[in-house]
Amino acid sequence: MNKFNYYQPTEILFGTGRIQELGELALRYGKKCLLVTTPAIPALESMFNKVKKILTGAGLDVAHFDQVQPNPTTETITAGAKMASDFGAEVVIGVGGGSSMDSAKAIAVEATHEGTAWDYLFYKEPQPSEKTLPIIAVSTTSGTGSQVTQVAVITNTAKRDKSAIYNSIVYPKVCVVDPELMLTVPKKVTAPTGFDAFCHSFESTLHPNASPYIDCLAYKAIELVVKNLPVLLNDLSDLEARSNMALADTFAGLCIANAGVTLPHGVGMAISGMYPQVAHGESLAIIYPSFTRFTYKHAITQFATVARIFDKSLNGASDEVAAEKSCELVDDFLRKIGLWMDLKQFGMPENEIADLAKQSMVLPDYEGNPRVATPDEMLTLIEESFDRK
Ligand code: NAD
């Protein structure tokens, strides 16, 4: 057996109603907290009010930074960090999807360090230090797994670049995964976030840091997504399906924190960096049909295992047959959950295909793929993803 590491410092509070415990959790770290969310659109207003009531009811002083947007930008982080400093925040609480939780992490860094959060990306020196404010994450999408990861994804609009802080210091100290908070997530967010959890799990099994821990978590998460996401899309109020997706999301987050993502995420980050109108999960859906066909022969066991999760009748087929079939099965799943998409439909100009291919090889994610794409192969993958008809 190969050597492996597994590390997870975030305390996980999972289950309906657990949001009620947020006040006592926050008090562990101080009395002044910065709450970080997207704006209070009608679907979210009562949740935010409930959270504020729980926090103030426990005796906390709350400042609410409610300016996060999907694919959060460096400008947003700077505004949030200023509010945290002016207020003297002792703990930062991100309530929302990956965008809000990642903003909370990046704000916790920028509020306590010289320069901006962008100066502390994974490849830069110095890295964020122990001065970083403690972070609490409350996930309201299922999703990104950010509630249990050491990653904060941010976008630099001026550079058209999406990158990440990747450091153990931004692991949330504690996270609350309360499926009741997810009942208001609309279909257009439920589908791509659910597919993101599938991708985190699958890509982790393909990553060089995969381990027996990853296999246990990832294949269970894939099973949960395949079974529950279509059910949930038919009835967004199904709490059991929401709970199962929240569990899949958390398992998948543990996978990326300990193994990692591969080629699709490198491409997906490039897509949303250049075209912020594309949600993260959508960017993955765009590249997946080409990625599966490009990769399956180089990871027969993993692709065959996923194929058999989709279709039990493949239990009797050879691994090679099942692995090849997985490409079609993933396509079918994307169609079923309404995510059969391409770059053209998001208004990407055709003359930027080469730029996007180049940008897709900036992050090291593509190098962890079982088949490493050459620049020409990456160009072909992007060309295929431009117009799927
Ligand atoms: P998101 O956080 O951008 O949210 C999408 C939309 O859904 C927002 O408008 C938000 O207000 C709304 N929303 C959230 N919860 C809701 C609820 N309960 N009811 C109604 N509306 C709700 O979406 P996301 O996919 O969760 O996060 C995407 C971001 O996370 C991207 O920037 C992506 O790159 C990043 N990401 C981070 C990690 C990590 O480990 N840190 C991993 C993967 C992706």
Side-chain angles (χ1 to χ4, degrees):
M1 191 181 289
N2 292 337
K3 292 178 186 171
F4 66 87
N5 289 11
Y6 188 86
Y7 177 64
Q8 177 43 240
T10 304
E11 182 181 352
I12 301 168
L13 274 70
F14 188 100
T16 35
R18 301 301 300 269
I19 192 64
Q20 294 298 341
E21 295 167 57
L22 187 63
E24 50 199 89
L25 295 174
L27 278 175
R28 291 180 189 170
Y29 306 100
K31 283 201 80 174
K32 297 185 90 156
C33 73
L34 182 78
L35 175 65
V36 177
T37 71
T38 52
I41 53 164
L44 290 167
E45 196 172 3
S46 67
M47 185 210 297
F48 295 165
N49 287 339
K50 179 173 165 181
V51 167
K52 280 191 266 191
K53 210 168 150 199
I54 291 168
L55 292 170
T56 51
L60 286 127
D61 291 335
V62 183
H64 186 182
F65 178 72
D66 65 354
Q67 293 306 312
V68 175
Q69 68 286 84
N71 297 324
T73 63
T74 45
E75 289 85 359
T76 303
I77 304 308
T78 296
K82 183 170 181 326
M83 193 188 241
S85 303
D86 291 349
F87 178 62
E90 294 165 282
V91 52
V92 185
I93 307 179
V95 178
S99 298
S100 300
M101 294 186 282
D102 287 5
S103 294
K105 295 174 183 178
I107 287 169
V109 170
E110 187 165 321
T112 45
H113 292 73
E114 288 290 310
T116 69
W118 194 258
D119 298 326
Y120 297 89
L121 296 179
F122 68 95
Y123 57 88
K124 297 188 175 181
E125 287 295 341
Q127 282 289 295
S129 70
E130 298 290 331
K131 288 187 295 185
T132 304
L133 291 171
I135 298 145
I136 297 179
V138 178
S139 54
T140 69
T141 63
S142 308
T144 65
S146 176
Q147 67 273 19
V148 290
T149 74
Q150 69 283 59
V151 183
V153 180
I154 45 181
T155 296
N156 188 320
T157 323
K159 292 184 193 291
R160 295 181 83 196
D161 191 8
K162 192 175 183 192
S163 194
I165 295 173
Y166 184 99
N167 190 297
S168 292
I169 203 76
V170 299
Y171 269 114
K173 300 282 181 218
V174 52
C175 72
V176 177
V177 186
D178 182 339
E180 240 166 26
L181 303 180
M182 296 152 198
L183 287 170
T184 46
V185 183
K187 211 172 198 164
K188 69 177 194 324
V189 178
T190 300
T193 49
F195 186 61
D196 192 18
F198 175 96
C199 299
H200 289 161
S201 312
F202 187 29
E203 289 165 44
S204 290
T205 70
L206 304 173
H207 194 275
N209 290 342
S211 72
Y213 269 93
I214 299 303
D215 286 354
C216 287
L217 292 163
Y219 291 125
K220 183 64 195 173
I222 291 171
E223 227 176 274
L224 287 166
V225 175
V226 167
K227 193 166 165 203
N228 290 281
L229 186 53
V231 172
L232 187 53
L233 291 169
N234 275 329
D235 177 6
L236 295 172
S237 67
D238 184 332
L239 187 59
E240 186 62 20
R242 287 270 181 218
S243 302
N244 285 327
M245 286 303 297
L247 189 60
D249 164 44
T250 307
F251 284 176
L254 296 168
C255 290
I256 48 170
N258 283 282
V261 285
T262 68
L263 184 146
H265 267 77
V267 176
M269 292 278 283
I271 293 175
S272 294
M274 289 176 68
Y275 315 104
Q277 69 273 28
V278 186
H280 177 64
E282 291 170 342
S283 71
L284 297 166
I286 288 169
I287 189 66
Y288 249 72
S290 295
F291 149 74
T292 51
R293 286 166 178 83
F294 177 75
T295 309
Y296 80 88
K297 283 187 186 152
H298 298 256
I300 292 286
T301 308
Q302 295 93 320
F303 277 79
T305 306
V306 168
R308 292 181 181 120
I309 292 172
F310 278 116
D311 180 356
K312 300 233 172 332
S313 75
L314 290 167
N315 282 336
S318 69
D319 278 1
E320 285 70 17
V321 167
E324 183 173 5
K325 186 78 182 158
S326 71
C327 306
E328 247 174 68
L329 291 165
V330 171
D331 290 0
D332 293 346
F333 188 63
L334 286 171
R335 287 195 174 90
K336 194 171 179 177
I337 60 174
L339 291 185
W340 185 257
M341 32 185 59
D342 57 29
L343 290 160
K344 198 175 164 188
Q345 80 189 73
F346 288 94
M348 171 182 161
E350 196 164 1
N351 64 9
E352 291 194 355
I353 286 179
D355 289 345
L356 178 57
K358 208 169 151 207
Q359 190 65 18
S360 297
M361 300 180 86
V362 169
L363 289 178
D365 297 332
Y366 80 96
E367 292 169 341
N369 205 53
R371 178 180 176 192
V372 181
T374 63
D376 282 348
E377 287 168 338
M378 186 63 87
L379 185 62
T380 306
L381 292 170
I382 302 296
E383 280 167 351
E384 288 171 6
S385 309
F386 181 74
D387 184 359
R388 292 204 183 278
K389 296 278 186 289

